[in-house]
Amino acid sequence: METEAAEVNLCFTFGVIADIQYADTENGFNYSRTRERYYRNSLHLLRSALHEWNEEVITPRFILQLGDIIDGCNSQLKSSDHALQVVINEFAKSPSPVHHIWGNHEFYNFNREQLLNSALNSKHLGNGKLFDNGDSNIKSDLDPDDPNDPDAFYGYHFSPFPKFRFILTDTYDLSVLGRKKDSKKYCYSLQKLKSNNRNENLNSPKGLDGLNSRFLAFNGGFSQEQMEWLNKILTFSDNNQEKVTVIGHLPVHPYSTDPMCIAWNYDEILSVLHAHTSVVCFIAGHDHDGGYYLDDHGIHHLTLEGVIETPPESHAFGTIRVYEDRMILKGRGRISERVLHFDKHK
């Protein structure tokens, strides 16, 4: 009877999967050569996840693909376009729309202009304009001035159910990956990186202790423009009494991930999130071991385990069931089940 009552109160469900990193090549190892990576098998695990989502009694309202959909080695293999198409063809079998986040491996294979014109640009699934309580009057349009400008694109938002909003962010807005070397953001990012990492190899954490180890070339950060954009959306959500989940490839809380996997200016983005009562969760990928932390502002920081380092006999995906007062993550394989309560006193 409890289960039936819970289903009555269910608002919607959605799927989550991270770091598929497919490549048609033999297994390899991670950067430190401590973990095996199952390049071909990652496609089989994606198929399994899609099959289970398709078989669920309640079809997920949407799927969040949290970045690194194909591996960077495809660039060396000259197979980036083909590998991406193979994975996109699998996602096409989903009855649910798929929202894509861009991670570092996207930028190993493509530049920003290419991504904007690819299947990984899912911005058309967003609600660019904000509405107040379903009113047809448009209260605000917070899209960048030119949606086709790779320097201006940094995410979108959508509302799948009344009083719930999801915001997809670009954690590589500041980055040395994917940007033209004469662009303002590239130059700023390179300076920031080199001022904190003196190694010749900017992906090496040698000599970097604790949180300083985040200053690596495979990480990135949020521009001031993106944080202002995010702040405006969250202000609307505060006033509209919404519950907001923010999504990015890089985690933003030190206790939800390895220090080597966190966004460069995590402290700045946390200040933005903590200034708003509407934020209930931040979902990320990137750290293949996953992680979780409930911070002192009542925000759940959920980092999904990566498909790429998941053995063939296991799984790494989940379905999140959303209620008025909580979200329940039903993880499969390496991903734990969790109950994420919304703080009523925020």
Short mmCIF file of all heavy atoms in Angstrom, two decimals, residues 99-142:
data_model
loop_
_atom_site.label_atom_id
_atom_site.label_comp_id
_atom_site.label_asym_id
_atom_site.label_seq_id
_atom_site.Cartn_x
_atom_site.Cartn_y
_atom_site.Cartn_z
N HIS A 99 18.83 15.08 -23.05
CA HIS A 99 19.53 16.35 -22.85
C HIS A 99 21.02 16.05 -22.69
O HIS A 99 21.41 15.26 -21.82
CB HIS A 99 19.01 17.06 -21.61
CG HIS A 99 17.58 17.50 -21.72
ND1 HIS A 99 17.20 18.74 -22.19
CD2 HIS A 99 16.42 16.83 -21.44
CE1 HIS A 99 15.88 18.83 -22.18
NE2 HIS A 99 15.38 17.70 -21.73
N HIS A 100 21.84 16.69 -23.51
CA HIS A 100 23.28 16.41 -23.53
C HIS A 100 24.08 17.53 -22.87
O HIS A 100 23.87 18.72 -23.15
CB HIS A 100 23.77 16.25 -24.97
CG HIS A 100 23.17 15.09 -25.69
ND1 HIS A 100 23.52 13.78 -25.41
CD2 HIS A 100 22.24 15.04 -26.68
CE1 HIS A 100 22.84 12.97 -26.21
NE2 HIS A 100 22.05 13.70 -26.98
N ILE A 101 25.02 17.12 -22.02
CA ILE A 101 26.00 18.03 -21.42
C ILE A 101 27.33 17.83 -22.16
O ILE A 101 27.64 16.73 -22.61
CB ILE A 101 26.17 17.72 -19.92
CG1 ILE A 101 24.97 18.24 -19.12
CG2 ILE A 101 27.46 18.27 -19.36
CD1 ILE A 101 24.95 19.73 -18.93
N TRP A 102 28.12 18.91 -22.27
CA TRP A 102 29.43 18.80 -22.90
C TRP A 102 30.53 18.64 -21.85
O TRP A 102 30.61 19.44 -20.90
CB TRP A 102 29.73 20.04 -23.73
CG TRP A 102 28.77 20.25 -24.88
CD1 TRP A 102 27.81 19.38 -25.32
CD2 TRP A 102 28.67 21.42 -25.70
NE1 TRP A 102 27.13 19.92 -26.39
CE2 TRP A 102 27.62 21.17 -26.65
CE3 TRP A 102 29.35 22.63 -25.75
CZ2 TRP A 102 27.26 22.11 -27.61
CZ3 TRP A 102 28.99 23.56 -26.72
CH2 TRP A 102 27.96 23.30 -27.64
N GLY A 103 31.36 17.60 -22.01
CA GLY A 103 32.49 17.36 -21.13
C GLY A 103 33.80 17.54 -21.87
O GLY A 103 33.84 17.92 -23.04
N ASN A 104 34.91 17.24 -21.20
CA ASN A 104 36.22 17.42 -21.81
C ASN A 104 36.42 16.54 -23.04
O ASN A 104 37.05 16.95 -24.02
CB ASN A 104 37.34 17.18 -20.80
CG ASN A 104 37.18 15.89 -20.02
OD1 ASN A 104 36.12 15.60 -19.48
ND2 ASN A 104 38.24 15.10 -19.93
N HIS A 105 35.85 15.33 -23.05
CA HIS A 105 36.04 14.44 -24.20
C HIS A 105 35.29 14.93 -25.43
O HIS A 105 35.71 14.63 -26.56
CB HIS A 105 35.66 13.00 -23.84
CG HIS A 105 36.71 12.32 -23.02
ND1 HIS A 105 37.65 11.46 -23.56
CD2 HIS A 105 36.97 12.39 -21.70
CE1 HIS A 105 38.44 11.02 -22.60
NE2 HIS A 105 38.05 11.58 -21.46
N GLU A 106 34.21 15.68 -25.24
CA GLU A 106 33.56 16.30 -26.39
C GLU A 106 34.54 17.25 -27.09
O GLU A 106 34.62 17.31 -28.32
CB GLU A 106 32.31 17.09 -25.96
CG GLU A 106 31.03 16.29 -25.87
CD GLU A 106 30.99 15.32 -24.69
OE1 GLU A 106 31.66 15.60 -23.67
OE2 GLU A 106 30.29 14.31 -24.79
N PHE A 107 35.33 17.97 -26.27
CA PHE A 107 36.25 18.96 -26.83
C PHE A 107 37.55 18.34 -27.33
O PHE A 107 38.30 18.98 -28.07
CB PHE A 107 36.54 20.05 -25.79
CG PHE A 107 35.33 20.87 -25.45
CD1 PHE A 107 34.78 20.83 -24.18
CD2 PHE A 107 34.71 21.65 -26.42
CE1 PHE A 107 33.65 21.57 -23.87
CE2 PHE A 107 33.58 22.39 -26.12
CZ PHE A 107 33.06 22.35 -24.84
N TYR A 108 37.84 17.11 -26.93
CA TYR A 108 38.97 16.40 -27.54
C TYR A 108 38.65 16.01 -28.98
O TYR A 108 39.55 15.84 -29.81
CB TYR A 108 39.32 15.13 -26.76
CG TYR A 108 39.78 15.35 -25.34
CD1 TYR A 108 39.58 14.38 -24.37
CD2 TYR A 108 40.43 16.52 -24.96
CE1 TYR A 108 40.00 14.56 -23.06
CE2 TYR A 108 40.84 16.72 -23.65
CZ TYR A 108 40.62 15.73 -22.70
OH TYR A 108 41.03 15.91 -21.41
N ASN A 109 37.35 15.84 -29.25
CA ASN A 109 36.91 15.37 -30.57
C ASN A 109 36.40 16.49 -31.48
O ASN A 109 36.50 16.37 -32.70
CB ASN A 109 35.80 14.34 -30.40
CG ASN A 109 36.30 13.00 -29.90
OD1 ASN A 109 36.87 12.23 -30.65
ND2 ASN A 109 36.10 12.72 -28.61
N PHE A 110 35.84 17.56 -30.88
CA PHE A 110 35.20 18.60 -31.68
C PHE A 110 35.48 19.97 -31.09
O PHE A 110 35.72 20.10 -29.88
CB PHE A 110 33.68 18.38 -31.71
CG PHE A 110 33.25 16.99 -32.11
CD1 PHE A 110 32.80 16.08 -31.15
CD2 PHE A 110 33.29 16.60 -33.44
CE1 PHE A 110 32.41 14.81 -31.51
CE2 PHE A 110 32.90 15.32 -33.81
CZ PHE A 110 32.47 14.42 -32.85
N ASN A 111 35.41 20.99 -31.93
CA ASN A 111 35.48 22.34 -31.39
C ASN A 111 34.06 22.83 -31.12
O ASN A 111 33.08 22.13 -31.39
CB ASN A 111 36.23 23.29 -32.35
CG ASN A 111 35.57 23.40 -33.72
OD1 ASN A 111 34.34 23.39 -33.85
ND2 ASN A 111 36.39 23.51 -34.77
N ARG A 112 33.93 24.04 -30.59
CA ARG A 112 32.63 24.53 -30.18
C ARG A 112 31.67 24.72 -31.36
O ARG A 112 30.48 24.45 -31.25
CB ARG A 112 32.77 25.84 -29.40
CG ARG A 112 33.24 25.60 -27.99
CD ARG A 112 33.24 26.84 -27.15
NE ARG A 112 33.40 26.42 -25.76
CZ ARG A 112 32.40 26.24 -24.92
NH1 ARG A 112 31.17 26.46 -25.31
NH2 ARG A 112 32.62 25.84 -23.69
N GLU A 113 32.20 25.21 -32.46
CA GLU A 113 31.35 25.40 -33.63
C GLU A 113 30.77 24.06 -34.10
O GLU A 113 29.58 23.98 -34.45
CB GLU A 113 32.14 26.04 -34.77
CG GLU A 113 32.49 27.50 -34.54
CD GLU A 113 33.78 27.71 -33.76
OE1 GLU A 113 34.31 26.72 -33.21
OE2 GLU A 113 34.26 28.84 -33.70
N GLN A 114 31.59 23.03 -34.08
CA GLN A 114 31.12 21.71 -34.49
C GLN A 114 30.07 21.16 -33.53
O GLN A 114 29.07 20.58 -33.95
CB GLN A 114 32.31 20.75 -34.59
CG GLN A 114 33.25 21.04 -35.74
CD GLN A 114 34.53 20.23 -35.67
OE1 GLN A 114 35.09 19.98 -34.59
NE2 GLN A 114 35.01 19.79 -36.83
N LEU A 115 30.27 21.38 -32.25
CA LEU A 115 29.31 20.90 -31.25
C LEU A 115 27.97 21.62 -31.37
O LEU A 115 26.90 21.02 -31.22
CB LEU A 115 29.87 21.04 -29.84
CG LEU A 115 30.98 20.06 -29.46
CD1 LEU A 115 31.57 20.42 -28.10
CD2 LEU A 115 30.45 18.63 -29.44
N LEU A 116 28.03 22.92 -31.64
CA LEU A 116 26.80 23.69 -31.80
C LEU A 116 25.96 23.17 -32.96
O LEU A 116 24.73 23.27 -32.94
CB LEU A 116 27.12 25.17 -32.03
CG LEU A 116 27.40 26.02 -30.78
CD1 LEU A 116 27.88 27.40 -31.19
CD2 LEU A 116 26.16 26.12 -29.91
N ASN A 117 26.62 22.61 -33.96
CA ASN A 117 25.91 22.10 -35.14
C ASN A 117 25.77 20.59 -35.14
O ASN A 117 25.49 19.98 -36.18
CB ASN A 117 26.66 22.55 -36.41
CG ASN A 117 26.60 24.05 -36.60
OD1 ASN A 117 25.52 24.61 -36.78
ND2 ASN A 117 27.74 24.70 -36.54
N SER A 118 25.92 19.97 -33.98
CA SER A 118 25.84 18.52 -33.87
C SER A 118 24.61 18.09 -33.09
O SER A 118 23.89 18.92 -32.53
CB SER A 118 27.10 17.98 -33.16
OG SER A 118 27.03 18.21 -31.76
N ALA A 119 24.41 16.78 -33.02
CA ALA A 119 23.29 16.22 -32.24
C ALA A 119 23.48 16.45 -30.74
O ALA A 119 22.54 16.26 -29.97
CB ALA A 119 23.16 14.73 -32.53
N LEU A 120 24.69 16.86 -30.33
CA LEU A 120 24.94 17.11 -28.92
C LEU A 120 24.49 18.49 -28.47
O LEU A 120 24.60 18.83 -27.29
CB LEU A 120 26.43 16.92 -28.60
CG LEU A 120 26.96 15.50 -28.77
CD1 LEU A 120 28.43 15.42 -28.41
CD2 LEU A 120 26.15 14.51 -27.93
N ASN A 121 24.00 19.30 -29.40
CA ASN A 121 23.39 20.56 -29.03
C ASN A 121 21.89 20.32 -28.86
O ASN A 121 21.14 20.31 -29.83
CB ASN A 121 23.64 21.63 -30.10
CG ASN A 121 23.05 22.98 -29.72
OD1 ASN A 121 22.41 23.12 -28.68
ND2 ASN A 121 23.25 23.97 -30.57
N SER A 122 21.48 20.09 -27.63
CA SER A 122 20.07 19.76 -27.35
C SER A 122 19.30 20.97 -26.84
O SER A 122 18.25 20.82 -26.21
CB SER A 122 19.99 18.62 -26.33
OG SER A 122 20.79 18.88 -25.18
N LYS A 123 19.82 22.17 -27.13
CA LYS A 123 19.17 23.37 -26.61
C LYS A 123 17.74 23.54 -27.09
O LYS A 123 16.92 24.19 -26.42
CB LYS A 123 19.99 24.60 -26.98
CG LYS A 123 19.52 25.86 -26.26
CD LYS A 123 20.46 27.03 -26.47
CE LYS A 123 19.98 28.23 -25.67
NZ LYS A 123 20.91 29.37 -25.79
N HIS A 124 17.39 22.95 -28.24
CA HIS A 124 16.02 23.06 -28.75
C HIS A 124 15.01 22.40 -27.81
O HIS A 124 13.81 22.64 -27.92
CB HIS A 124 15.92 22.42 -30.14
CG HIS A 124 16.23 20.95 -30.15
ND1 HIS A 124 17.53 20.46 -30.12
CD2 HIS A 124 15.42 19.87 -30.16
CE1 HIS A 124 17.49 19.13 -30.12
NE2 HIS A 124 16.22 18.75 -30.15
N LEU A 125 15.50 21.58 -26.87
CA LEU A 125 14.62 20.93 -25.90
C LEU A 125 14.32 21.84 -24.70
O LEU A 125 13.52 21.49 -23.84
CB LEU A 125 15.24 19.64 -25.39
CG LEU A 125 15.49 18.54 -26.44
CD1 LEU A 125 16.21 17.36 -25.80
CD2 LEU A 125 14.17 18.09 -27.07
N GLY A 126 14.99 22.97 -24.63
CA GLY A 126 14.82 23.86 -23.49
C GLY A 126 13.66 24.82 -23.65
O GLY A 126 13.07 24.96 -24.72
N ASN A 127 13.34 25.48 -22.54
CA ASN A 127 12.34 26.55 -22.54
C ASN A 127 13.11 27.85 -22.39
O ASN A 127 13.45 28.23 -21.27
CB ASN A 127 11.34 26.40 -21.39
CG ASN A 127 10.76 24.99 -21.31
OD1 ASN A 127 10.76 24.37 -20.26
ND2 ASN A 127 10.27 24.48 -22.43
N GLY A 128 13.43 28.51 -23.48
CA GLY A 128 14.25 29.71 -23.39
C GLY A 128 13.60 30.82 -22.60
O GLY A 128 14.26 31.62 -21.96
N LYS A 129 12.27 30.86 -22.59
CA LYS A 129 11.56 31.93 -21.91
C LYS A 129 10.96 31.41 -20.60
O LYS A 129 10.64 30.25 -20.47
CB LYS A 129 10.47 32.49 -22.83
CG LYS A 129 11.03 33.02 -24.15
CD LYS A 129 9.94 33.59 -25.02
CE LYS A 129 10.46 33.93 -26.42
NZ LYS A 129 11.55 34.90 -26.40
N LEU A 130 10.84 32.33 -19.66
CA LEU A 130 10.31 31.97 -18.35
C LEU A 130 8.87 32.46 -18.22
O LEU A 130 8.54 33.57 -18.64
CB LEU A 130 11.16 32.60 -17.24
CG LEU A 130 12.60 32.07 -17.16
CD1 LEU A 130 13.41 32.93 -16.19
CD2 LEU A 130 12.62 30.63 -16.73
N PHE A 131 8.05 31.61 -17.63
CA PHE A 131 6.64 31.95 -17.44
C PHE A 131 6.33 31.89 -15.95
O PHE A 131 6.94 31.12 -15.21
CB PHE A 131 5.74 30.96 -18.18
CG PHE A 131 5.99 30.93 -19.66
CD1 PHE A 131 7.00 30.14 -20.20
CD2 PHE A 131 5.21 31.69 -20.51
CE1 PHE A 131 7.23 30.12 -21.56
CE2 PHE A 131 5.44 31.68 -21.88
CZ PHE A 131 6.45 30.89 -22.40
N ASP A 132 5.40 32.70 -15.53
CA ASP A 132 5.05 32.76 -14.12
C ASP A 132 3.76 31.98 -13.86
O ASP A 132 2.69 32.37 -14.34
CB ASP A 132 4.88 34.22 -13.69
CG ASP A 132 4.74 34.35 -12.19
OD1 ASP A 132 4.89 33.34 -11.49
OD2 ASP A 132 4.47 35.47 -11.71
N ASN A 133 3.89 30.85 -13.14
CA ASN A 133 2.73 30.04 -12.76
C ASN A 133 1.86 29.65 -13.95
O ASN A 133 0.63 29.63 -13.87
CB ASN A 133 1.87 30.80 -11.73
CG ASN A 133 2.61 31.01 -10.44
OD1 ASN A 133 3.28 30.09 -9.96
ND2 ASN A 133 2.51 32.20 -9.87
N GLY A 134 2.51 29.36 -15.10
CA GLY A 134 1.75 28.93 -16.26
C GLY A 134 1.09 30.06 -17.02
O GLY A 134 0.40 29.83 -18.01
N ASP A 135 1.29 31.29 -16.54
CA ASP A 135 0.71 32.43 -17.24
C ASP A 135 1.33 32.55 -18.63
O ASP A 135 2.50 32.31 -18.83
CB ASP A 135 1.00 33.71 -16.44
CG ASP A 135 0.17 34.89 -16.92
OD1 ASP A 135 -0.20 34.90 -18.09
OD2 ASP A 135 -0.08 35.79 -16.10
N SER A 136 0.53 32.93 -19.61
CA SER A 136 1.05 33.04 -20.97
C SER A 136 1.91 34.29 -21.16
O SER A 136 2.55 34.46 -22.18
CB SER A 136 -0.11 33.08 -21.96
OG SER A 136 -0.95 34.18 -21.69
N ASN A 137 1.90 35.20 -20.18
CA ASN A 137 2.71 36.41 -20.29
C ASN A 137 4.17 36.07 -20.03
O ASN A 137 4.53 35.50 -19.01
CB ASN A 137 2.26 37.46 -19.27
CG ASN A 137 0.87 37.98 -19.58
OD1 ASN A 137 0.54 38.17 -20.73
ND2 ASN A 137 0.07 38.20 -18.55
N ILE A 138 5.02 36.44 -20.96
CA ILE A 138 6.44 36.17 -20.82
C ILE A 138 7.05 37.16 -19.84
O ILE A 138 6.95 38.37 -20.01
CB ILE A 138 7.16 36.27 -22.19
CG1 ILE A 138 6.59 35.22 -23.14
CG2 ILE A 138 8.65 36.12 -22.04
CD1 ILE A 138 7.05 35.38 -24.57
N LYS A 139 7.68 36.62 -18.80
CA LYS A 139 8.28 37.48 -17.78
C LYS A 139 9.73 37.82 -18.12
O LYS A 139 10.22 38.87 -17.79
CB LYS A 139 8.23 36.77 -16.41
CG LYS A 139 6.81 36.52 -15.92
CD LYS A 139 6.08 37.81 -15.68
CE LYS A 139 4.70 37.57 -15.11
NZ LYS A 139 3.95 38.81 -14.92
N SER A 140 10.44 36.88 -18.77
CA SER A 140 11.84 37.14 -19.03
C SER A 140 12.36 36.18 -20.09
O SER A 140 11.92 35.05 -20.17
CB SER A 140 12.65 36.95 -17.73
OG SER A 140 14.02 37.14 -17.96
N ASP A 141 13.27 36.66 -20.92
CA ASP A 141 13.95 35.82 -21.89
C ASP A 141 15.43 35.95 -21.63
O ASP A 141 16.01 37.01 -21.86
CB ASP A 141 13.59 36.28 -23.31
CG ASP A 141 14.18 35.33 -24.36
OD1 ASP A 141 15.04 34.52 -23.99
OD2 ASP A 141 13.77 35.42 -25.53
N LEU A 142 16.04 34.90 -21.12
CA LEU A 142 17.41 34.99 -20.64
C LEU A 142 18.41 34.28 -21.53
O LEU A 142 19.52 34.02 -21.13
CB LEU A 142 17.49 34.41 -19.22
CG LEU A 142 16.64 35.15 -18.19
CD1 LEU A 142 16.64 34.41 -16.87
CD2 LEU A 142 17.14 36.57 -18.00
#
